[in-house]
Amino acid sequence: MSDRLDVVAGDLVVRDGRIVSVGAGAEREAGPVGTVIDAAGGYVLPGFVQTHLHLCQTLFRGWADDLPLLEWLRRRVWPLEAAHDPETLRAATRLACAELLRTGTTAVLTMETVHDTDVVLETLAGIGLRATVGKCMMDRLDPDVPRRLYEPAARAIEESLALARRWHGAAGGRLRVALAPRFAVSCTRDLLEATAAASAEQGLLVHTHASETRDEVAIVRAQSGFDNMAYLAATGLASPRLCAAHCVWVDEGEQALMAERGVRVLHCPGSNLKLGSGLAPVVELRARGISVSIGADGAACNNRLDMFDEMRLAATLQAVRHGPGRLTARDAVWMATREGARALGLDDQIGSLEPGKRADLILVDVRAPHLAPAPDPYSTLVYAARGTDVRLTVVDGRPLVEEGRLTWADPEEIAAEAREASRRLAARAGL
Ligand SMILES: [Zn+2]
């Protein structure tokens, strides 16, 4: 995934968590090496960067199906998020990491719930995934939102900044903190303005949802008098630090504004389909030079966290909108790696396999019959491969999946713990 999308045959050498050389003869050049991994019959590529996730919702998988966004939030997701405690958050984070790492995702941008986000970060610190984490902020009083998720704006910002003081740059830079106002519907203008100010002052990313459904856009217009993106711009949020999930319903004027301000779009095709939200104008956004990266969103609305599914959907949905070839397999792999790194402001560290970058990489085995004959690696990865074809996942030089197995936990234990935690959670949420 170099700028030229080169495909090279050869070796890749990692030392102290960084890539030191790549290509034919790389091993000879690098001098003596310790561990050697035989990657014959596979593709080594940069680990996937998922830019929109909610790790805490992984325990909600199967508890929130067949509903449109606003009902899905009111009837399922908000009550379940309000019912989380440190123990269930830990179980959700472990469950998410098991699936993400097993299917080749090495870095994420995630929006958690309102409380106890330290537990998510502590758990991530132990496991080894690269993550930018925000606690959700919601300060608009609303009878449909459980009282426990409400926080006054000043407290929401203070808690987020306290989280940043404890965790931003922790674990050798692997963990970072973002500011995460949920979406304009659940935030006051005061909170959005305070978020913009804190982001500018501290250089923190802002992670939010925007223009996911037509109903949401109508509510924002009624509340603020603005189109969603114009409203976010009016609060000072529209900048290259704004990572806006979905952007399905953004008109031409909003798209022009996003291009001008450098807003980053986080495309979630699987979630948009399952919630019936719509098909995002990804080809149009990219044609304007807007950064569009990819995320699975959450297990409550996808219900998979597998980047292979999302790459395939990203490409095929644009074929439905514009005809095949307007978003190619190469584009999809680019969005899943380089563009994700750029959205997170980490493109000097991850997103490609080049000397000097952090060793976040995966090995995809392409020897199985469902991948043959594989004349083009990009086509194979996007249209034929599945998450379970990932054999090795390495973050910061540490193997977290080897021979398709987690190195840091027993997956059956993680699943059992998740089933137990999800039962407690659903009972507390009254489901
Ligand atoms: Zn989301």
Side-chain angles (χ1 to χ4, degrees):
M1 296 306 299
S2 65
D3 287 343
R4 294 189 312 275
L5 295 174
D6 290 329
V7 177
V8 300
D11 310 312
L12 181 141
V13 182
V14 170
R15 188 168 288 136
D16 299 329
R18 280 186 197 281
I19 297 167
V20 294
S21 59
V22 184
E27 190 184 338
R28 255 191 332 276
E29 273 167 37
V33 293
T35 310
V36 176
I37 295 168
D38 181 4
Y43 301 147
V44 180
L45 61 149
F48 298 125
V49 181
Q50 291 209 40
T51 51
H52 184 61
L53 284 167
H54 303 263
L55 304 185
C56 71
Q57 293 179 9
T58 315
L59 285 189
F60 312 168
R61 177 158 35 220
W63 283 105
D65 297 329
D66 307 324
L67 294 167
L69 177 73
L70 295 174
E71 255 188 281
W72 173 87
L73 285 167
R74 289 171 186 145
R75 288 175 48 190
R76 296 287 192 272
V77 170
W78 284 336
L80 283 162
E81 281 197 14
H84 256 310
D85 66 17
E87 227 177 293
T88 54
L89 278 169
R90 183 170 171 277
T93 306
R94 283 163 58 80
L95 184 66
C97 286
E99 183 180 5
L100 290 165
L101 290 164
R102 179 65 190 82
T103 54
T105 292
T106 54
V108 302
L109 174 61
T110 178
M111 179 188 292
E112 295 306 305
T113 186
V114 174
H115 301 290
D116 299 317
T117 303
D118 282 290
V119 175
V120 174
L121 282 146
E122 266 159 36
T123 308
L124 290 167
I127 292 171
L129 186 74
R130 189 179 302 283
T132 304
V133 183
K135 80 170 220 86
C136 185
M137 301 192 284
M138 304 167 69
D139 76 326
R140 192 182 276 277
L141 280 168
D142 176 343
D144 289 324
V145 176
R147 184 65 205 203
R148 186 164 185 257
L149 297 183
Y150 165 81
E151 262 181 339
R155 192 163 83 218
I157 295 283
E158 181 40 47
E159 297 262 319
S160 291
L161 293 178
L163 212 53
R165 286 193 290 277
R166 290 193 287 276
W167 291 103
H168 195 65
R174 195 162 48 69
L175 298 178
R176 302 187 313 157
V177 169
L179 301 169
R182 184 158 216 132
F183 63 157
V185 173
S186 51
C187 301
T188 64
R189 183 165 181 148
D190 281 351
L191 175 57
L192 298 176
E193 285 175 351
T195 302
S199 163
E201 200 181 292
Q202 310 269 334
L204 298 170
L205 292 180
V206 176
H207 183 195
T208 194
H209 300 93
S211 305
E212 180 173 357
T213 67
R214 278 186 280 208
D215 289 347
E216 169 204 348
V217 167
I219 293 172
V220 174
R221 197 174 290 125
Q223 278 175 358
S224 72
F226 287 99
D227 284 336
N228 203 348
M229 200 47 72
Y231 178 52
L232 295 179
T235 65
L237 278 170
S239 86
R241 290 183 308 281
L242 181 63
C243 296
H246 305 301
C247 299
V248 175
W249 301 102
V250 282
D251 65 21
E252 293 213 359
E254 292 179 286
Q255 291 177 25
L257 177 66
M258 292 157 74
E260 186 194 306
R261 302 291 179 89
V263 172
R264 276 103 209 260
V265 173
L266 324 175
H267 178 44
C268 305
S271 163
N272 296 159
L273 284 177
K274 183 160 178 278
L275 292 171
S277 304
L279 307 182
V282 175
V283 165
E284 292 87 332
L285 294 167
R286 282 169 50 87
R288 290 179 186 271
I290 296 170
S291 165
V292 184
S293 51
I294 303 179
D297 200 351
C301 62
N302 188 303
N303 296 0
R304 302 175 181 165
L305 305 181
D306 183 338
M307 186 58 114
F308 287 90
D309 286 305
E310 300 308 302
M311 287 195 297
R312 183 181 156 94
L313 286 173
T316 52
L317 289 181
Q318 298 305 310
V320 171
R321 295 184 64 249
H322 293 285
R326 295 293 299 279
L327 199 150
T328 64
R330 283 174 171 241
D331 294 330
V333 179
W334 179 275
M335 290 162 72
T337 55
R338 292 295 296 273
E339 204 55 57
R342 186 155 84 100
L344 298 185
L346 293 175
D347 40 345
D348 59 337
Q349 295 183 49
I350 57 170
S352 62
L353 302 180
E354 293 175 284
K357 287 206 173 177
R358 304 303 308 177
D360 286 14
L361 54 92
I362 62 175
L363 170 61
V364 182
D365 199 325
V366 292
R367 290 172 299 188
H370 66 276
L371 301 178
D376 174 74
Y378 292 100
S379 159
T380 305
L381 287 167
V382 172
Y383 295 126
R386 306 173 183 140
T388 45
D389 296 317
V390 173
R391 208 171 98 197
L392 173 76
T393 303
V394 173
V395 181
D396 251 353
R398 266 181 69 203
L400 301 179
V401 171
E402 271 177 332
E403 295 304 330
R405 284 188 295 273
L406 305 179
T407 58
W408 47 276
D410 174 356
E412 283 179 28
E413 254 169 53
I414 289 180
E417 167 191 289
R419 279 190 290 271
E420 182 50 40
S422 126
R423 267 194 290 273
R424 291 200 304 273
L425 195 59
R428 281 203 296 268
L431 298 183

